[in-house]
Amino acid sequence: MIDVLLGLQWGDEGKGKIVDYLADNYDLICRFQGGPNAGHTIVIGGKKHVLHTIPSGIFRPTVINVIGNGVVIDPIVLAKELAMLAENEITADKILIARKAHLILPTHRYLDAASEAAKGKAKIGSTLRGIGPTYMDKTGRNGLRVGDLESADFMQRYAALKEKHLSLAKIYPNIDFDLEKEEQEWFDSLEVIKKLQFIDSSYYLSEALKAGKKILAEGAQGSMLDIDYGTYPYVTSSNTITAGVCTGLGVPPQSIGKVYGISKSYCTRVGSGPFPTELDNELGEELRQLGAEFGATTGRPRRTGWIDLAQLKYTIMLNGVDHLCITKMDCLNTFESIELGIGYTEKGQLTDRLPYNLEADLSPQYQTLQGWNQDINSIRDYNEMPTEVKDYISFLENYLGVPVTMLSTGPEREALIIKD
Ligand code: GDP
Ligand code: IMO
Ligand code: MG
């Protein structure tokens, strides 16, 4: 079976840390969607590593890491990640790339930036990594794939796509972009990528499943950024939910096993779009500082707010979550009381359903729980947790109807509690 781990909010829930922890129990870790818009942080022995394309199993010596066909790959970013890993004495022999994964061209990034510039105030707040334009070329049937690197006419196809992008860009405002320099770096990086092992991922994974290998699919972004079910149009361009695993890896639905959903003990969002429980005030700033909420990919300050249980109920439903993991519990250590969003009042009615229009004038309703108001960072046994932590977790479990089986209390690999 292929277990799945994904974010239930707007990304940055701590997926990298939890995948790295769980990877010890798996043979393969597979990314199935997204691209270098992701930034997955892993802290081992006090050293911080950020991964954008490579799965978070790479720090476990025996684990194979698959970059699936649903991922979009920027060779420049991938080559930099490989260099970072080499500095940490990690080689690339445990990395496999699906031939059907699409390539992000320099002109995709150019189009991303130009399109955002044209949107003005309505901008999405994209990471500007070329994600949208690359998936557009995929669905538009124009894209270049990793497997095309092996074909004789790659250069002609590259040149044709680049020209098409440059004509398209004429509808957008001019922006600064040194295409010649970017292309040079892209082609240099391609030489690095070409040395990696390319696979036909559906055959490869089918055989791995038959051989009884334990596989974990690692989500990127969060369910609220899903192209179909997120806060459209303020979303990314892929299916970030469990359903994306089948198309993003080429595996049948019967092969999906347990689904781990991750949420912070509060909520964050980076980029534009609705965020009903946002705290756009001093308290929000306090949460940002306590949680060090600055993007792992772009360094942008993340918007912060209280945990939104109605929102979580929705993404648990979409993903078929079996187990919940609550991260950043330690970031609430200093609060006398903690608020939890339990629905919205819309036209005088309380509802726990997310309305079609999340930009409508929604008033979130809150349950207040007593804070634990003490340092819980070094506790490793759930039974030793303060009563207030247990009450908070019970409240989540009762409202959401799913057990919390992991609690994270710090960025380090070891700061994790497994709860039965
Ligand atoms: P991802 O995109 O879901 O992998 O998450 P990011 O790496 O973008 O952001 C999560 C941030 O929180 C990183 O800086 C992690 O090191 C950090 N982190 C993860 N879990 C915890 C936790 O339990 N407590 C604290 N304080 N930080 C955490
Ligand atoms: P991880 O995997 C948080 C957000 C961007 C923007 C929107 C669209 O680290 O959780 P895009 O670059 O995809 O066109 O941006 O999605 N976004 C993320 N926010 N974490 C991420 O990934 C994100 N990837 C994209 O900020 O609002
Ligand atoms: Mg991140």
Side-chain angles (χ1 to χ4, degrees):
M1 293 299 244
I2 301 182
D3 294 340
V4 181
L5 179 143
L6 39 72
L8 297 177
Q9 298 170 308
W10 279 276
D12 304 328
E13 296 89 350
K15 298 175 291 293
K17 175 193 154 150
I18 305 300
V19 171
D20 165 67
Y21 175 85
L22 290 176
D24 208 19
N25 302 315
Y26 287 93
D27 301 303
L28 281 93
I29 307 291
C30 311
R31 276 278 305 268
F32 58 94
Q33 47 69 232
N37 46 352
H40 294 182
T41 313
I42 297 167
V43 181
I44 307 167
K47 198 167 174 188
K48 177 171 153 175
H49 311 276
V50 182
L51 296 166
H52 302 286
T53 323
I54 297 171
S56 302
I58 195 69
F59 293 99
R60 300 286 184 178
T62 60
V63 169
I64 305 281
N65 293 273
V66 175
I67 303 172
N69 60 275
V71 176
V72 289
I73 298 174
D74 186 336
I76 299 179
V77 180
L78 182 50
K80 282 189 186 145
E81 280 180 79
L82 292 169
M84 177 275 281
L85 290 173
E87 278 171 26
N88 289 280
E89 284 162 26
I90 295 170
T91 53
D93 57 324
K94 297 274 183 322
I95 300 171
L96 306 177
I97 306 188
R99 283 198 174 80
K100 289 180 176 146
H102 280 244
L103 290 169
I104 302 176
L105 273 53
T107 40
H108 282 133
R109 280 191 286 125
Y110 177 50
L111 283 173
D112 207 0
S115 149
E116 277 282 79
K119 284 196 160 100
K121 277 197 179 136
K123 74 178 166 55
I124 290 172
S126 161
T127 61
L128 305 181
R129 295 302 185 268
I131 306 296
T134 306
Y135 280 114
M136 279 162 75
D137 270 341
K138 175 176 175 172
T139 50
R141 294 153 295 176
N142 299 310
L144 281 175
R145 301 186 289 177
V146 167
D148 297 331
L149 291 170
E150 293 163 331
S151 78
D153 63 352
F154 180 78
M155 284 310 290
Q156 284 112 295
R157 291 177 61 191
Y158 171 84
L161 191 52
K162 173 181 125 179
E163 282 316 311
K164 187 168 181 194
H165 290 164
L166 293 177
S167 342
L168 275 172
K170 290 186 184 135
I171 63 168
Y172 295 126
N174 255 330
I175 54 152
D176 262 356
F177 194 84
D178 189 342
L179 182 56
E180 219 169 286
K181 178 176 153 283
E182 294 292 340
E183 271 188 306
Q184 184 61 52
E185 200 179 350
W186 196 78
F187 282 110
D188 290 348
S189 304
L190 273 190
E191 294 311 310
V192 179
I193 307 311
K194 280 183 191 165
K195 295 192 188 115
L196 298 175
Q197 298 177 66
F198 300 162
I199 55 164
D200 292 317
S201 62
S202 36
Y203 284 115
Y204 180 88
L205 291 173
S206 168
E207 281 153 23
L209 281 166
K210 278 196 198 112
K213 300 281 183 204
K214 293 183 76 183
I215 307 175
L216 179 69
E218 170 181 359
Q221 290 77 57
S223 305
M224 294 304 286
L225 291 170
D226 182 273
I227 181 74
D228 284 287
Y229 298 101
T231 44
Y232 192 88
Y234 301 101
V235 292
T236 189
S237 299
S238 63
N239 282 118
T240 59
I241 59 173
T242 305
V245 175
C246 291
T247 54
L249 293 178
V251 295
Q254 295 89 333
S255 65
I256 303 298
K258 280 186 276 187
V259 180
Y260 296 94
I262 305 202
S263 164
K264 291 183 192 187
S265 59
Y266 50 99
C267 192
T268 65
R269 164 161 215 175
V270 57
S272 326
F275 180 177
T277 58
E278 180 168 16
L279 292 164
D280 191 9
N281 54 24
E282 262 177 40
L283 197 53
E285 183 55 36
E286 193 182 338
L287 265 177
R288 185 174 304 116
Q289 295 305 329
L290 287 168
E293 294 297 352
F294 298 90
T297 296
T298 59
R300 288 178 292 175
R302 295 176 182 143
R303 297 156 64 193
T304 54
W306 293 120
I307 197 167
D308 182 342
L309 299 187
Q311 176 270 301
L312 284 177
K313 201 177 242 186
Y314 170 68
T315 52
I316 286 168
M317 172 187 81
L318 285 172
N319 289 302
V321 172
D322 304 297
H323 297 274
L324 278 172
C325 172
I326 308 295
T327 57
K328 303 205 132 179
M329 290 293 293
D330 54 304
C331 302
L332 298 184
N333 280 350
T334 51
F335 287 87
E336 296 269 343
S337 63
I338 295 164
E339 308 280 324
L340 303 94
I342 50 163
Y344 322 103
T345 322
E346 199 189 11
K347 295 183 190 135
Q349 297 272 6
L350 180 68
T351 174
D352 66 356
R353 287 172 84 109
L354 261 71
Y356 174 75
N357 181 9
L358 265 173
E359 286 181 276
D361 198 11
L362 295 177
S363 320
Q365 299 300 304
Y366 294 96
Q367 170 77 37
T368 307
L369 293 183
Q370 200 163 355
W372 39 97
N373 212 2
Q374 58 179 287
D375 191 320
I376 56 165
N377 306 22
S378 51
I379 300 177
R380 295 286 178 269
D381 178 350
Y382 187 70
N383 296 319
E384 287 168 20
M385 276 289 184
T387 319
E388 294 84 358
V389 169
K390 292 181 183 158
D391 289 347
Y392 169 89
I393 296 294
S394 297
F395 190 86
L396 294 188
E397 290 179 325
N398 287 335
Y399 185 101
L400 300 169
V402 183
V404 173
T405 55
M406 281 181 278
L407 284 83
S408 174
T409 57
E412 310 79 27
R413 190 185 253 178
E414 298 74 30
L416 197 77
I417 294 172
I418 306 296
K419 171 181 157 294
D420 295 328

